[in-house]
Amino acid sequence: MMDEQFAEGDSLLHKRDPKAKIIASAIFITAAALTRSSTAAAMFLAFAAILCALTGLPLRPILKRLLAVNSFTFFLWITLPPTYGGNEFITLGPLSLSVEGIRLAALITLKTNAVVLAIIALLGTSRIANTGHALETLHLPQGLCFIMLFSYRYIFVIYQEYQRLVRAARLRCFKPATNIHTYRTFGYLFGMTLVKSWNRASRVHQAMILRGFDGHLIPLSQDRYRRSDTLFLLVILTLTLSIALVGFQYP
Amino acid sequence: MSKQPLIELRNISYLYPHSTGPILENLNFSTQEKHIGVIGSNGCGKTTFFQIIVGLLTPTAGQLLFHGKEIKDKNRMRDLRREVGFLFQNSDDQLFSPTVIEDVAFGPLNLGYSQTAAKKTAIETLAKLGLEGFEERITHRLSGGEKKLVALATILAMEPKMLLLDEPTNNLDPKTRLRLISILQGLDLHQIIISHDWDFLEQTGSTLYRIEDGHIHRCEEDHIHVHSHIHKAGDYPHRHGH
Ligand SMILES: Nc1ncnc2c1ncn2[C@@H]1O[C@H](COP(=O)(O)OP(=O)(O)OP(=O)(O)O)[C@@H](O)[C@H]1O
Ligand SMILES: [Mg+2]
């Protein structure tokens, strides 16, 4: 995300207008998040995977994102099955695992992966500036667009400041261990990261103001909404709704 | 050039919130010379002085005049910022777009240029600074010297009349430093340069001003003594007897 690495490319999805992609992802995410059917969730995942394949992006960075997300769902797999309760249980040695717990963990995992892949395919394939601009033309409150654009800048700034401080600590032979010195050092590192990021972010903001920035980020490349974008939107909408209907049939 | 100085400060005082004493006090200054060098010890308020000129800080007292008229509203401030470009002490604070071309085109786009015109201006400005082929480079992966030159490009792309340069030669290697000097000499612009680099000030033909005890005053000619030998502690402006 720092380099907007997914935005480089010239696939069918890269060429779509960000407005169409924002609406498409809003529809997809809502439908995928609301479904209670594992069948539908699996279909959403397949759909999102196909979209990702259409972007022609390299597999590795995408898998890396999925790995990061699934380190969270991993915790669901450890906690839900033993604790969820219900009527059916599977006994595995000393453990008795709730079937409903397993089902729920699976459902959440499928949904999460589907949403992440859809975001990469739909939102990741536009530059942040273009997406921000599209949000504005979709009449989202300006404040909201501003926050979105700036969280993007801040994440980058915070990350850099943190790295700089960690490097400085390491250069002075700091080795993390389980003791008060380590905890205190990390406390200082996080605290200083926040303070320094805040200061840097305000200087960056000043630099932007001096160059005439007034809250609207104007993208350098112009997007044009074409008929193919409407077509694209209709295809996504139809498929998403069909999957949602499948979800009602097979709950 | 009109008779009115581009920028004039009248009785400006500035006090940072929560600080004990004012950094600048009753400071008077106007841009009479085309090339001005500003010197002063670390922490004497040089950067603060620039931030007041471009309205990033609002003085606690005094007036800021632009083309002889006091700045009263946002629109006038915007005009001032268009005509006065500020090169920050730290270029990392100045570059924020993913790619160089986006960063350089940022100002022109905000000024209302079309996408095509902004891109053209950006490419021309980069070429003028010898940065052809830098368009798609990732800004935060540039070297320190390249960042400085790109930051200069982002400002020049807005076609300012005056440049405020805050220690531009800091951390530049001799070659990049010379390159920057020759670029600045080639620009037909008013320049105010904060620097501890005496040779640099000499080569850009600057009239020297010193900030001291909250005031700014022109250095007396017979006190100025530009020299190029190496000092062990030579980054502070100094006078001595030879
Ligand atoms: N945001 C701030 N809040 C409080 N005090 C500040 C702030 N910024 C700067 N100062 C103080 O104001 C004084 C002047 O700072 P300024 O950055 O203008 O100095 P400078 O002359 O540019 O120094 P240098 O040569 O080190 O760049 C310093 O003593 C500094 O500690
Ligand atoms: Mg300074």
Side-chain angles (χ1 to χ4, degrees):
Chain A
M1 187 167 133
M2 304 304 166
D3 304 343
E4 306 187 71
Q5 51 169 322
F6 295 137
E8 301 292 339
D10 117 281
S11 71
L12 185 80
L13 277 141
H14 284 95
K15 283 192 206 130
R16 296 281 68 76
D17 187 282
K19 282 193 284 297
K21 290 195 279 191
I22 290 168
I23 299 172
S25 52
I27 294 169
F28 183 95
I29 292 169
T30 316
L34 290 181
T35 189
R36 286 161 178 242
S37 137
S38 303
T39 321
M43 289 175 80
F44 276 125
L45 179 58
F47 183 20
I50 292 171
L51 285 177
C52 255
L54 287 178
T55 61
L57 290 168
L59 204 56
R60 255 182 105 85
I62 297 180
L63 289 179
K64 240 166 121 182
R65 299 297 145 101
L66 288 184
L67 197 70
V69 173
N70 286 304
S71 58
F72 287 105
T73 55
F74 174 72
F75 284 100
L76 294 177
W77 283 98
I78 331 185
T79 52
L80 279 180
T83 59
Y84 195 71
N87 304 321
E88 289 172 74
F89 287 94
I90 303 173
T91 26
L92 250 182
L95 286 174
S96 90
L97 303 175
S98 145
V99 171
E100 274 168 59
I102 294 175
R103 214 172 268 151
L104 188 62
L107 179 64
I108 296 176
T109 308
L110 288 172
K111 284 180 176 195
T112 319
N113 285 288
V115 167
V116 169
L117 285 180
I119 288 178
I120 293 176
L122 294 169
L123 296 182
T125 48
S126 287
R127 290 197 168 280
I128 283 283
N130 294 67
T131 306
H133 192 67
L135 284 171
E136 267 181 28
T137 36
L138 287 172
H139 297 289
L140 237 78
Q142 208 200 319
L144 214 63
C145 303
F146 195 79
I147 289 175
M148 196 209 81
L149 288 170
F150 266 76
S151 9
Y152 169 72
R153 304 274 176 242
Y154 279 111
I155 288 168
F156 170 59
V157 166
I158 292 170
Y159 176 73
Q160 272 198 338
E161 289 297 347
Y162 180 68
Q163 289 231 309
R164 201 170 294 175
L165 289 171
V166 168
R167 211 177 306 136
R170 219 178 269 146
L171 282 178
R172 287 193 278 150
C173 299
F174 170 67
K175 265 206 205 106
T178 327
N179 55 30
I180 277 290
H181 174 64
T182 303
Y183 298 146
R184 192 185 297 131
T185 308
F186 271 113
Y188 288 159
L189 280 179
F190 288 131
M192 275 314 280
T193 303
L194 283 186
V195 172
K196 292 187 68 174
S197 312
W198 169 264
N199 287 337
R200 235 197 101 193
S202 55
R203 288 194 303 270
V204 167
H205 187 218
Q206 289 182 336
M208 296 175 83
I209 288 177
L210 289 184
R211 286 201 271 150
F213 178 70
D214 60 358
H216 302 273
L217 208 58
I218 308 165
L220 183 56
S221 56
Q222 183 72 292
D223 296 297
R224 278 221 331 272
Y225 192 87
R226 294 166 228 249
R227 213 175 298 160
S228 52
D229 289 311
T230 311
L231 191 67
F232 166 78
L233 201 51
L234 281 176
V235 170
I236 300 268
L237 185 66
T238 317
L239 288 172
T240 307
L241 289 183
S242 317
I243 298 177
L245 282 178
V246 170
F248 285 120
Q249 292 284 308
Y250 305 93
Chain B
M1 193 188 144
S2 65
K3 273 164 269 135
Q4 295 285 2
L6 197 59
I7 297 287
E8 189 178 345
L9 303 182
R10 279 198 198 145
N11 298 318
I12 292 277
S13 296
Y14 189 78
L15 178 79
Y16 276 106
H18 314 297
S19 72
T20 45
I23 290 294
L24 303 175
E25 208 175 0
N26 267 324
L27 177 144
N28 287 290
F29 173 79
S30 71
T31 52
Q32 278 154 6
E33 298 87 358
K34 193 157 182 190
H35 294 271
I36 292 172
V38 177
I39 56 174
S41 49
N42 288 121
C44 71
K46 302 181 295 298
T47 301
T48 308
F49 171 67
F50 273 6
Q51 287 174 327
I52 286 176
I53 292 180
V54 293
L56 289 176
L57 297 175
T58 315
T60 16
Q63 296 165 303
L64 169 63
L65 285 77
F66 175 55
H67 288 298
K69 271 182 277 173
E70 195 180 351
I71 301 263
K72 289 228 174 74
D73 56 46
K74 269 191 166 169
N75 285 338
R76 289 268 297 155
M77 202 66 208
R78 180 181 288 263
D79 294 343
L80 182 151
R81 287 171 179 167
R82 179 180 183 160
E83 291 189 22
V84 181
F86 182 178
L87 187 71
F88 286 11
Q89 201 161 351
N90 183 354
S91 318
D92 274 322
D93 296 336
Q94 210 147 18
L95 304 174
F96 42 80
S97 304
T99 60
V100 168
I101 185 88
E102 282 175 284
D103 222 309
V104 181
F106 179 81
L109 284 172
N110 288 332
L111 294 178
Y113 287 37
S114 74
Q115 266 96 352
T116 332
K119 199 163 196 166
K120 186 162 166 276
T121 309
I123 290 173
E124 282 169 3
T125 312
L126 285 169
K128 216 165 30 182
L129 300 188
L131 296 171
E132 295 97 343
F134 270 65
E135 289 82 3
E136 297 303 326
R137 296 275 297 271
I138 308 285
T139 47
H140 63 266
R141 294 214 193 112
L142 299 172
S143 78
E146 290 166 344
K147 276 183 190 161
K148 189 58 84 182
L149 293 175
V150 171
L152 183 62
T154 66
I155 287 156
L156 292 179
M158 297 181 71
E159 292 164 2
K161 296 208 173 103
M162 175 181 273
L163 288 181
L164 307 183
L165 307 155
D166 196 345
E167 302 193 25
T169 56
N170 242 6
N171 299 323
L172 296 186
D173 68 36
K175 211 172 126 214
T176 317
R177 180 176 162 277
L178 287 179
R179 186 163 161 204
L180 184 67
I181 292 174
S182 82
I183 288 171
L184 291 176
Q185 281 171 337
L187 295 171
D188 184 29
L189 293 175
H190 291 258
Q191 294 172 18
I192 309 183
I193 305 171
I194 293 176
S195 187
H196 300 293
D197 180 345
W198 285 64
D199 297 338
F200 174 66
L201 292 177
E202 163 71 5
Q203 274 156 348
T204 45
S206 307
T207 311
L208 288 192
Y209 284 72
R210 173 194 296 274
I211 295 184
E212 206 170 29
D213 306 324
H215 304 290
I216 187 165
H217 51 82
R218 189 184 299 154
C219 299
E220 298 301 327
E221 292 293 338
D222 52 333
H223 281 157
I224 303 172
H225 178 105
V226 177
H227 41 193
S228 54
H229 53 262
I230 293 168
H231 281 260
K232 277 192 173 143
D235 62 346
Y236 178 71
H238 43 269
R239 307 166 191 186
H240 46 182
H242 60 255

